Amino acid sequence: MRLKEDDEACREALKSGKVLLYHKLSPLLRKTSSGYKLASLKTSGFNTNPFKFFHFINKRILHIHLYNCIPISLDLEQILEKVGKDKHIVNESFLLGCTDKDEPQFSLDVGDLDRSALEQECRGMFVDLRKAFFMIPGPESPLAAKGQALLRWHQTNCFCSATGQPTVRNQSGSFRVCHSSGITYYPKMAPVVIVLVSDGSRCLLARQAMFPPGMYSALSGFCDMGESVEEALHREVAEEVGLEVENLQYSGSQHWPFPQSSFMLACHATVNPDKTQVNIDKAELEDARWFTYEEITEALQNLPRDPRREPPVFWVPPSYAIANQLLQEWANHQQLSRKLHGLK
Ligand SMILES: NC(=O)C1=CN([C@@H]2O[C@H](COP(=O)(O)OP(=O)(O)OC[C@H]3O[C@@H](n4cnc5c(N)ncnc54)[C@H](O)[C@@H]3O)[C@@H](O)[C@H]2O)C=CC1
Ligand SMILES: [Mg+2]
């Protein structure tokens, strides 16, 4: 954790770190023989002695292990100079953590540089994060999301909300401070509950008008100030579909970068099978309905969705979304109880 707080150590780590590049918040991907991957660029360290650096970093390692993504042989500084930019903007990178090989990893947005010139020099392309999620290997998704989320947070928190004065980042980017008010700002996530409601044999999914055609997901909603997860879950389900849930069971959590950082807390819940009539809040939802085990298992097999093909009539969020995990768990549970009851 010391790299996060220690400016000098972080600056030193950056000299031989790996940087994930973003252009207006779209990550750089590179095509390999096995498909697209997140691309990372090494920094030259402004001619630092590598032996000296490794001695230094071993003593001050940050123990957050991140997925190791595909490196590009050119130095980031060389690339920046080729596209006519001062190489010292590398110092504006934000610390993400360390790879499983203990290499410090950073993210940097170069949105003010020419996109196609950069793509050419980096031998890759900048892809909108939502699309990138369909292209990169699953384990790279959280890293791509974290890199974007940190960049967005810094881009939108340049001023103190008390004084209007500029805020100043520390070297790792783990906080910003207003020297006028003394207020320290830390990157934030908004807590969101997401719940898969079951009546025992069917589960309830809903769609908002803004969802892609045919996509249904579990019910979700932002927690209100001061609310517990349980209170938020009961309230959201009651507000959106008019049902009373019981038997809440925690499933897992996920950072979700869209539209701004949310912290998704996923649960299962049940309703009384005699009280399943939904009363849809049309201001929030376009539709909500009960789906059978067969419909869900078929939709889960439709994944991953090929964006070049017509979307199926009904489909569910892909595997990188925690809604998909809830559906997989529900389908497994149904399969087990069907076996126990001698059903197919
Ligand atoms: N990873 C996943 O599997 C899924 C993620 N989500 C995410 O969950 C989030 C919340 O889901 P919704 O059902 O849309 O929430 P919601 O049911 O609370 O409705 C959204 C509305 O709440 C209001 N709101 C209150 N607090 C807000 C805040 N902190 N930020 C933004 N809006 C706020 C806004 O008016 C907004 O239009 C969305 O960002 C969505 O992308 C939703 C479903 C699946
Ligand atoms: Mg909602």
Side-chain angles (χ1 to χ4, degrees):
M1 293 305 283
R2 285 169 73 180
L3 283 186
K4 240 168 127 180
E5 306 289 336
D6 184 332
D7 286 358
E8 191 206 338
C10 188
R11 219 171 281 123
E12 205 57 32
L14 182 57
K15 289 181 181 171
S16 61
K18 295 274 170 62
V19 180
L20 301 184
L21 224 49
Y22 290 74
H23 191 277
K24 297 198 165 70
L25 300 176
S26 295
L28 180 70
L29 306 192
R30 210 169 166 221
K31 199 171 185 179
T32 69
S33 52
S34 55
Y36 284 94
K37 294 208 161 148
L38 262 185
S40 76
L41 289 102
K42 62 187 173 64
T43 54
S44 66
F46 311 111
N47 302 322
T48 308
N49 172 350
F51 179 78
K52 186 178 153 213
F53 169 68
F54 277 113
H55 177 70
F56 184 80
I57 193 75
N58 277 342
K59 289 205 288 183
R60 292 169 177 248
I61 214 72
L62 169 73
H63 287 287
I64 299 173
H65 289 278
L66 297 174
Y67 195 82
N68 227 342
C69 47
I70 185 163
I72 289 172
S73 54
L74 276 182
D75 286 336
L76 177 54
E77 287 89 342
Q78 288 174 317
I79 289 174
L80 290 171
E81 284 186 333
K82 276 187 162 188
V83 299
K85 189 77 183 175
D86 179 358
K87 64 184 181 183
H88 291 96
I89 65 157
V90 170
N91 286 329
E92 291 167 22
S93 305
F94 298 107
L95 178 70
L96 298 176
C98 283
T99 68
D100 49 10
K101 292 181 187 143
D102 278 344
E103 293 163 318
Q105 210 161 24
F106 298 84
S107 64
L108 176 68
D109 197 302
V110 285
D112 56 340
L113 302 186
D114 183 73
R115 180 178 176 144
S116 57
L118 271 168
E119 287 181 331
Q120 204 177 339
E121 290 302 332
C122 297
R123 297 194 298 280
M125 59 181 185
F126 294 102
V127 179
D128 176 81
L129 187 59
R130 278 187 194 272
K131 283 196 196 127
F133 275 171
F134 283 102
M135 297 162 75
I136 58 180
E140 288 191 350
S141 299
L143 179 59
K146 180 175 180 176
Q148 191 208 55
L150 203 55
L151 290 167
R152 182 190 281 113
W153 183 80
H154 280 280
Q155 288 171 9
T156 53
N157 286 272
C158 298
F159 296 95
C160 174
S161 49
T163 63
Q165 294 297 311
T167 55
V168 180
R169 59 174 281 187
N170 64 342
Q171 183 57 44
S172 69
S174 65
F175 63 78
R176 301 187 73 91
V177 64
C178 168
H179 291 308
S180 172
S181 65
I183 299 175
T184 303
Y185 294 90
Y186 293 95
K188 280 200 177 63
M189 298 188 282
V192 171
V193 289
I194 175 162
V195 57
L196 187 60
V197 180
S198 172
D199 73 350
S201 60
R202 300 172 302 165
C203 68
L204 184 66
L205 298 180
R207 55 171 283 110
Q208 297 177 11
M210 62 185 274
F211 282 6
M215 193 187 89
Y216 280 74
S217 185
L219 296 172
S220 58
F222 290 94
C223 294
D224 281 346
M225 185 65 84
E227 226 175 17
S228 68
V229 170
E230 294 80 357
E231 286 164 346
L233 265 167
H234 283 283
R235 177 185 54 74
E236 277 294 331
V237 178
E239 276 176 15
E240 294 191 351
V241 291
L243 292 175
E244 197 180 319
V245 286
E246 47 198 35
N247 302 318
L248 302 187
Q249 260 192 333
Y250 176 71
S251 161
S253 65
Q254 172 184 51
H255 165 248
W256 188 243
F258 312 115
Q260 292 187 3
S261 280
S262 296
F263 182 57
M264 311 288 306
L265 293 141
C267 292
H268 292 276
T270 59
V271 288
N272 182 331
D274 297 328
K275 293 182 182 165
T276 58
Q277 179 64 46
V278 292
N279 183 11
I280 302 170
D281 175 1
K282 285 285 182 182
E284 289 273 334
L285 300 176
E286 187 182 78
D287 190 23
R289 50 192 175 93
W290 292 98
F291 289 87
T292 62
Y293 170 71
E294 289 75 15
E295 286 173 302
I296 296 298
T297 46
E298 197 188 324
L300 285 170
Q301 281 158 19
N302 277 336
L303 299 168
R305 191 169 72 93
D306 182 347
R308 289 162 301 188
R309 282 190 2 225
E310 276 292 299
V313 179
F314 161 56
W315 59 286
V316 293
S319 54
Y320 61 77
I322 202 154
N324 186 279
Q325 175 184 311
L326 285 172
L327 285 161
Q328 296 276 4
E329 287 170 352
W330 182 81
N332 291 344
H333 180 79
Q334 286 291 312
Q335 190 185 28
L336 212 68
S337 67
R338 282 167 163 243
K339 266 199 189 138
L340 284 174
H341 292 97
L343 295 166
K344 259 213 298 185

